[in-house]
Amino acid sequence: MHNAQDDLLARARAWLTEDPDADTRAELARLIDTEDLAELTARFSGTLQFGTAGLRGELGAGPLRMNRSVVIRAAAGLAAYLKSQGHTDGLVVVGYDARHKSEDFARDTAAVMTGAGLRAAVLPRPLPTPVLAFAIRHLGAVAGVEVTASHNPPRDNGYKVYLGDGSQIVPPADAEIAAEIAAVRSLHDVPRPDSGWQTLGDDVLDAYLARTDAVLAENSPRTARTVYTAMHGVGKDTLLAAFARAGFPPPVLVTEQADPDPDFPTVAFPNPEEPGAMDLAFAQARATAPDLIIANDPDADRLAVAVPVGTDTAGWRMLRGDEVGALLAAHLVARGARGTFAESIVSSSLLGRIAEKAGLPYEETLTGFKWIARVENIRYGYEEALGYCVDPEGVRDKDGITAALLMTELASVLKERGRTLLDLLDDIAVEHGLHATDQLSVRVADVSLIAAAMHRLREQPPRDLAGLPVTKAEDLTRGTETLPPTDGLRYTLDGARVIVRPSGTEPKLKCYLEVVVPVAARTDLPGARAKATDLLAALKRDLSRSAGI
């Protein structure tokens, strides 16, 4: 035991000698001085793993936290990978959000790229992730890095890597970059000049904003009034500029959440899907009676939408990501869009029905826009976690700014006809059947509970759920005819579907539920919704029991 403690303290002291950040040096020095072995073990019992989501974790000192030392190693590994691919002097564009340490991590990345002989360009200030994704292709870069933890808690930060096609990395690039990171022996071996990279002006942002016009139909109505929250993130200025260019009424801001604040003081989690996150937006909407509420997450690559229920403005309902996905798809079909519609396996099967009825190609991918964006000839892609790609030629990723424009255009078109987004959802349900979705999401303090639940479901798969027989049980680690292997389980039932998977970015087990209830006429909708609600509740109950969570 004594040797293990000595080894732990020795590793911490070695880390301390290399740490370039005064904040984390002071933090680690305190832990060493007080011999806080529990906290040191939590930070030094491994390394933060680089994968297809890049890096994401809690800020702090040590190899299992997000800090400048970890970021410099990641940047050095990425630079070595790019050079191994023949990009000896290629351009790497770096963007960042307004979280704690984001600007430091961006500057370190630019320095490492410059020191490795690559060219680096940093966006001028904290900007939405879609602007970085756009800039990669716009500038002909060989890669891009976005420093962001998206909608994670305030204590987190992250590091997202894109390649030259403007899409996030997928295997085997992630493993090859990870191997290069592991090969970095000492930070003293990583050249980091004090200058030599470019800080971009507003030209790239202006080019992105000019591109946002392309998502709207020429001469379409632009009358819908909105309330907007940036969720303490970086979306406000870019979204307001895009709305002004388009000629929409200026969104009414949720002022308490309008400006960047890395502490996210008004929300427990800065994610529009989390309980309470939208309360201030609802209050603003009750005061101003807009046609819809739009919300971005902190890095503005996601879009949330809420609509008034009935004539009483006190009533507002958040639309599910699958509902927004179907509405945008129906709008694009009505506008005559051509090309492939794509979604992830955890999203509603409704998109496939809409595409089939319109005679459009359709593809299903693994979870994440890194897969959706790679679909050949993609015209529109979405996933249920509030991610929508409505202009794949401009941004090969989810984009909460252009999706907000398109949704507000749709609300305007309907408003001119005396109709609402809920009316269109009713039309879609009558035409294709009511597709109702829900999610059972379990956040854990001990991640081994997730593996235990997956193991239990694999060893004892349910034979029926909610009284519906399981007609097909698939272990997605084996892959399918159309999907590469992934850690997940898919159950097909008579009139329902369930997918279970560990979250790729948070300590959560996620279960995605869908039921499909046929609808013969609009008068059948209330009964169909009641049936769907009961089925979803029963699916949650039975699945929770089967997984032991």
Side-chain angles (χ1 to χ4, degrees):
M1 178 68 74
H2 193 63
N3 286 341
Q5 289 181 13
D6 289 346
D7 177 62
L8 177 63
L9 288 166
R11 281 186 286 128
R13 290 189 184 103
W15 185 275
L16 183 63
T17 64
E18 290 190 353
D19 192 337
D21 189 308
D23 294 336
T24 45
R25 274 202 315 273
E27 176 188 315
L28 184 54
R30 279 196 304 274
L31 296 176
I32 294 170
D33 290 345
T34 59
E35 294 193 5
D36 188 339
L37 300 179
E39 189 61 32
L40 287 170
T41 299
R43 293 156 182 260
F44 284 86
S45 58
T47 57
L48 209 55
Q49 292 301 300
F50 185 93
T52 52
L55 294 167
R56 199 176 288 186
E58 186 176 344
L59 289 162
L64 274 172
R65 297 289 185 266
M66 282 296 296
N67 50 66
R68 290 182 61 197
S69 298
V70 165
V71 164
I72 289 166
R73 287 174 180 274
L78 174 59
Y81 167 80
L82 292 171
K83 291 169 77 172
S84 77
Q85 301 296 305
H87 303 304
T88 52
D89 64 346
L91 174 67
V92 179
V93 190
V94 185
Y96 58 101
D97 66 11
R99 284 177 177 264
H100 293 296
K101 298 291 182 182
S102 286
E103 187 173 359
D104 292 342
F105 295 168
R107 187 175 58 249
D108 282 333
T109 300
V112 171
M113 296 302 159
T114 303
L118 294 153
R119 292 176 293 125
V122 183
L123 292 181
R125 58 186 171 279
L127 287 167
T129 293
V131 177
L132 182 276
F134 167 83
I136 296 165
R137 301 178 76 198
H138 178 69
L139 297 174
V142 298
V145 171
E146 177 70 17
V147 180
T148 181
S150 189
H151 55 271
N152 274 39
R155 64 180 181 272
D156 289 1
N157 213 327
Y159 198 80
K160 186 184 293 189
V161 176
Y162 297 75
L163 293 182
D165 62 355
S167 299
Q168 297 174 52
I169 54 169
V170 295
D174 58 337
E176 292 169 2
I177 296 169
E180 296 285 5
I181 295 170
V184 178
R185 292 190 174 277
S186 167
L187 291 194
H188 300 310
D189 299 334
V190 181
R192 285 185 292 126
D194 293 328
S195 62
W197 58 90
Q198 178 187 8
T199 299
L200 297 166
D202 280 343
D203 295 359
V204 169
L205 177 60
D206 292 343
Y208 168 82
L209 287 168
R211 178 80 205 180
T212 61
D213 299 347
V215 305
L216 301 174
E218 196 172 350
N219 300 320
S220 61
R222 312 277 168 95
T223 55
R225 295 178 304 106
T226 57
V227 158
Y228 171 68
T229 174
M231 206 62 66
H232 297 297
V234 298
K236 180 194 73 173
D237 291 346
T238 305
L239 182 130
L240 290 180
F243 269 59
R245 285 180 64 96
F248 287 112
V252 175
L253 298 178
V254 179
T255 54
E256 301 95 326
Q257 299 174 334
D259 294 318
D261 187 330
D263 295 318
F264 304 102
T266 68
V267 291
F269 288 95
N271 179 353
E273 293 179 294
E274 293 283 349
M278 294 290 290
D279 286 355
L280 289 170
F282 293 146
Q284 182 64 267
R286 285 193 287 272
T288 55
D291 299 299
L292 71 163
I293 299 171
I294 51 177
N296 288 138
D297 66 338
D299 69 326
D301 63 351
R302 287 174 170 83
L303 170 73
V305 179
V307 294
V309 181
T311 55
D312 181 0
T313 55
W316 282 84
R317 176 166 89 78
M318 288 289 291
L319 296 182
R320 301 193 65 83
D322 285 316
E323 292 177 311
V324 175
L327 287 167
L328 290 172
H331 184 42
L332 289 169
V333 166
R335 281 183 26 186
R338 309 308 299 169
T340 302
F341 280 22
E343 65 178 342
S344 62
I345 57 171
V346 298
S347 305
S348 172
S349 59
L350 176 56
L351 185 68
R353 298 202 182 187
I354 291 172
E356 182 182 19
K357 184 77 177 287
L360 296 175
Y362 163 78
E363 280 198 37
E364 197 177 55
T365 75
L366 293 183
T367 308
F369 261 84
K370 56 185 176 281
W371 298 107
I372 295 170
R374 284 182 158 73
V375 168
E376 191 172 345
N377 194 35
I378 184 173
R379 174 59 185 88
Y380 169 62
Y382 97 92
E383 66 179 0
E384 52 72 45
L386 310 184
Y388 313 95
C389 174
V390 300
D391 178 26
E393 289 306 305
V395 175
R396 198 62 62 90
D397 197 8
K398 55 187 177 290
D399 182 347
I401 306 293
T402 50
L405 286 171
L406 195 63
M407 180 55 73
T408 308
E409 177 186 63
L410 172 57
S412 299
V413 169
L414 293 167
K415 183 179 182 179
E416 297 296 297
R417 299 172 185 166
R419 308 189 78 231
T420 68
L421 294 169
L422 292 178
D423 292 331
L424 181 54
L425 282 173
D426 287 350
D427 294 348
I428 292 169
V430 171
E431 185 172 2
H432 301 287
L434 177 67
H435 290 62
T437 58
D438 202 353
Q439 191 178 129
L440 172 64
S441 183
V442 183
R443 185 183 291 271
V444 298
D446 179 0
V447 292
S448 69
L449 296 174
I450 295 174
M454 295 296 289
H455 178 75
R456 176 171 172 156
L457 287 170
R458 286 190 169 101
E459 291 297 306
Q460 299 173 292
R463 295 182 179 179
D464 58 76
L465 294 166
L468 303 172
V470 175
T471 58
K472 189 177 184 181
E474 298 169 277
D475 185 344
L476 298 177
T477 55
R478 302 188 179 104
T480 71
E481 288 183 10
T482 56
L483 297 170
T486 187
D487 187 7
L489 301 163
R490 178 163 60 182
Y491 303 117
T492 304
L493 301 94
D494 186 13
R497 184 210 65 196
V498 173
I499 293 174
V500 184
R501 60 179 281 272
S503 169
T505 56
E506 299 176 271
K508 282 182 177 181
L509 183 69
K510 291 189 166 186
C511 310
Y512 304 84
L513 320 172
E514 178 176 44
V515 299
V516 182
V517 181
V519 179
R522 291 181 86 86
T523 51
D524 297 329
L525 279 169
R529 289 203 171 93
K531 180 178 179 181
T533 299
D534 290 345
L535 279 172
L536 287 169
L539 280 175
K540 273 189 179 181
R541 181 194 65 229
D542 291 357
L543 185 62
S544 181
R545 187 180 300 136
S546 293
I549 53 175

